[in-house]
Amino acid sequence: YELFDVMLIDLCDVGTRVYTFCYTMAYCLEEAARYGKRVMVLDRPNPIGGEQVEGNILEHDYSSFVGLYPIPMRHGLTLGELALLFNQEYGIGAELEVVSMQGWKRWMYFHDTAFPWIAPSPNMPTPDTAMVYPGQVIWEGTTDSEARGTTQPFEFVGAPYWQHEPILKRLQDASLPGCFLRPIRFEPTSGKHANTLCTGFQIHVTDAKRYLPYKTSLTLLQSVMLLYSNQFRYKEPPYEYEFERLPMDLILGSQKLRKNLEHGVPLIEIEKGWQRELVHFMKVREKYFLY
């Protein structure tokens, strides 16, 4: 720690609670506060915009490396804004400076920036991946394929036991704006169900401003849970440095949410249950807006 005075953080975040880059940053802030070092965050665009916010607030008992603080699944902040929020709201207290961007506006998605996309991690190959990720990441908590091992991870989802017609019939009354679920079959080359034909869907986002990634994927997840209760399975630990708690609970940030899905509680009712905390978060986050 004597070898440097300032730590520069230059990472491309993807606007989703479970993406671990922001917690690596948070741990750096904690150590900087402990050792009296200064941190500079070089801000980057939130590729899925800075206006839309969605999802339940993570509960304290389900804090982990895929969800360290009580924020919603889609937080609508840049990495620099997250740094300011973490540092102040959660008492880290590091000496922090955020170097803000020029020209970025909250309404912008990555396609609006005219920047080239450089994948921040192997399974985040395009901005379209980032767009569906706040919802599709929940499949990591199951034995179903989130399409790692294909060219379009997270855009595809499925499993060998899925059937198009029953799932589509169950979804026909669901309000899932801004997207189209196209029936497909795919075969991952690695990961879950490697070299096995999976039946599933590709999520095509038709209107980013109306699309609700978390609600869309939760609705699909609940449909699969209830239709195929004898075949649907959760992934067992370990997951992201956690060896005891269920990965799905860590990803959702709540055991109660998982139980409600299992019991068939309608999504509209589930969403009502998290609105008060979400509204509070939306007010808090405004204090840290840089754009």
Side-chain angles (χ1 to χ4, degrees), residues 171-208:
L171 293 175
Q172 65 185 1
D173 295 326
S175 176
L176 303 177
C179 69
F180 175 72
L181 272 61
R182 181 173 70 92
I184 61 168
R185 288 186 172 87
F186 63 95
E187 188 173 306
T189 59
S190 62
K192 300 176 190 173
H193 305 298
N195 304 311
T196 303
L197 189 65
C198 293
T199 296
F201 300 91
Q202 178 179 358
I203 297 183
H204 293 268
V205 178
T206 57
D207 186 339

Side-chain angles (χ1 to χ4, degrees), residues 241-253:
Y241 311 107
E242 171 60 46
F243 295 91
E244 296 181 3
R245 291 175 294 176
L246 194 68
M248 180 60 82
D249 292 348
L250 301 179
I251 294 167
L252 296 177

Side-chain angles (χ1 to χ4, degrees), residues 157-170:
V157 62
Y161 68 88
W162 286 25
Q163 299 168 299
H164 291 136
E165 291 305 319
I167 295 173
L168 287 172
K169 184 176 181 180
R170 190 172 186 92

Side-chain angles (χ1 to χ4, degrees), residues 138-160:
I138 63 177
W139 297 103
E140 287 192 0
T142 75
T143 59
D144 299 339
S145 174
E146 69 278 6
R148 291 175 183 267
T150 76
T151 58
Q152 291 175 278
F154 300 107
E155 290 184 73
F156 297 170
V157 62

Side-chain angles (χ1 to χ4, degrees), residues 14-166:
V14 296
T16 301
R17 180 178 67 214
V18 299
Y19 204 65
T20 56
F21 287 13
C22 64
Y23 307 121
T24 299
M25 176 183 70
Y27 290 140
C28 289
L29 287 170
E30 289 177 356
E31 292 303 297
R34 179 181 177 188
Y35 289 97
K37 302 297 181 179
R38 184 176 169 216
V39 176
M40 294 181 67
V41 176
L42 309 182
D43 211 4
R44 299 281 197 99
N46 183 329
I48 60 173
E51 294 182 339
Q52 285 81 4
V53 176
E54 187 189 4
N56 57 300
I57 301 297
L58 179 135
E59 298 168 14
H60 176 74
D61 288 347
Y62 300 97
S63 177
S64 73
F65 190 47
V66 293
L68 201 56
Y69 299 115
I71 63 175
M73 185 61 93
R74 184 180 182 184
H75 50 70
L77 295 168
T78 67
L79 190 70
E81 291 171 336
L82 273 179
L84 294 169
L85 185 146
F86 289 170
N87 198 48
Q88 180 66 32
E89 294 296 321
Y90 308 123
I92 297 175
E95 184 183 350
L96 171 64
E97 178 183 349
V98 175
V99 180
S100 58
M101 298 174 281
Q102 295 181 0
W104 190 78
K105 308 294 183 185
R106 303 209 75 81
W107 58 266
M108 288 182 171
Y109 294 83
F110 196 82
H111 291 297
D112 298 309
T113 68
F115 292 148
W117 178 263
I118 299 174
S121 52
N123 284 287
M124 197 60 61
T126 72
D128 296 325
T129 319
M131 195 70 242
V132 301
Y133 185 72
Q136 291 295 84
V137 69
I138 63 177
W139 297 103
E140 287 192 0
T142 75
T143 59
D144 299 339
S145 174
E146 69 278 6
R148 291 175 183 267
T150 76
T151 58
Q152 291 175 278
F154 300 107
E155 290 184 73
F156 297 170
V157 62
Y161 68 88
W162 286 25
Q163 299 168 299
H164 291 136
E165 291 305 319

